[in-house]
Amino acid sequence: MITRSAIINFSVTALLTFTSAASAQTAELDQLFADLAEATPEEASRIEGQINTLWSKSGSAAMDLLLRRGEDALEDGDVQAALEHFSALVDHDPNFAEGYNGRATAYYLSGMVGPALEDIRQALRLNPRHFGALRGLAIVLEELERPADALEIYQEVLALNPHAEGVAEAVKRLDIQLEGQSL
């Protein structure tokens, strides 16, 4: 017979284990971001991959599977299937930023900018250092003809990930565009 005390002890132990794992992941991410800030372009790609790997771990094999299925569907060009997988992920784990980030990409590819922006907002609320979500936001802001806002977001991406692919070029392009507007 399982007693109430056994259930409480199990719950406390599970919570402490989860909290300890989350703290270890945060410390590892902090170190990786510090390394990324000082990395050469060659090292940056590897470190970015390590960060993305940590971000893709929800703590649940089922949620990780939904994430992989959504990502695979996007790679295959099946945006509808991706939306279904990412939506299931968000429904089952609303505190997992990668679910929102993946669904934002699928919404964007479907031409659904409003829902994409809402999911980017959620991803950034859960993970303010998510340079991928920030980059997505900057791309959308550019398309909405808000170059000053896009420039600001791209600069935030570079502060987190100085070698983010294509971002330095976007900053230069927007700087030139905005200088031309102020003349």
Side-chain angles (χ1 to χ4, degrees):
M1 181 166 125
I2 299 176
T3 65
R4 179 180 168 97
S5 175
I7 292 171
I8 291 171
N9 286 339
F10 174 77
S11 297
V12 169
T13 301
L15 178 62
L16 290 175
T17 301
F18 176 77
T19 303
S20 174
S23 294
Q25 188 182 54
T26 299
E28 187 174 357
L29 281 168
D30 289 344
Q31 184 59 55
L32 286 169
F33 271 99
D35 294 345
L36 187 59
E38 302 296 323
T40 65
E42 296 77 29
E43 297 167 329
S45 178
R46 177 185 52 79
I47 296 167
E48 185 178 329
Q50 290 174 301
I51 291 169
N52 284 322
T53 296
L54 285 175
W55 283 345
S56 69
K57 294 179 181 177
S58 69
S60 163
M63 298 306 103
D64 293 350
L65 178 62
L66 283 172
L67 177 64
R68 279 193 309 280
R69 285 185 175 170
E71 291 170 341
D72 289 346
L74 280 179
E75 275 186 38
D76 293 341
D78 190 348
V79 177
Q80 186 57 44
L83 278 170
E84 291 170 12
H85 292 302
F86 291 130
S87 291
L89 176 54
V90 165
D91 289 346
H92 287 80
D93 191 351
N95 294 313
F96 186 40
E98 287 306 297
Y100 290 103
N101 186 58
R103 191 169 70 175
T105 301
Y107 277 140
Y108 176 79
L109 293 172
S110 296
M112 300 172 72
V113 175
L117 284 171
E118 178 58 26
D119 276 0
I120 290 170
R121 186 184 69 76
Q122 286 290 359
L124 291 171
R125 182 183 62 78
L126 294 166
N127 181 357
R129 297 190 291 190
H130 200 298
F131 44 77
L134 284 167
R135 185 172 182 201
L137 176 58
I139 290 168
V140 171
L141 290 170
E142 260 194 279
E143 289 184 10
L144 294 174
E145 297 181 11
R146 294 177 52 188
D149 294 329
L151 176 61
E152 182 180 331
I153 300 299
Y154 279 131
Q155 289 168 334
E156 285 184 44
V157 173
L158 287 179
L160 292 167
N161 186 357
H163 300 290
E165 186 178 335
V167 176
E169 294 81 5
V171 167
K172 288 176 189 172
R173 183 184 71 250
L174 289 172
D175 271 336
I176 291 168
Q177 179 183 345
L178 290 169
E179 281 179 23
Q181 289 178 357
S182 65
L183 294 177

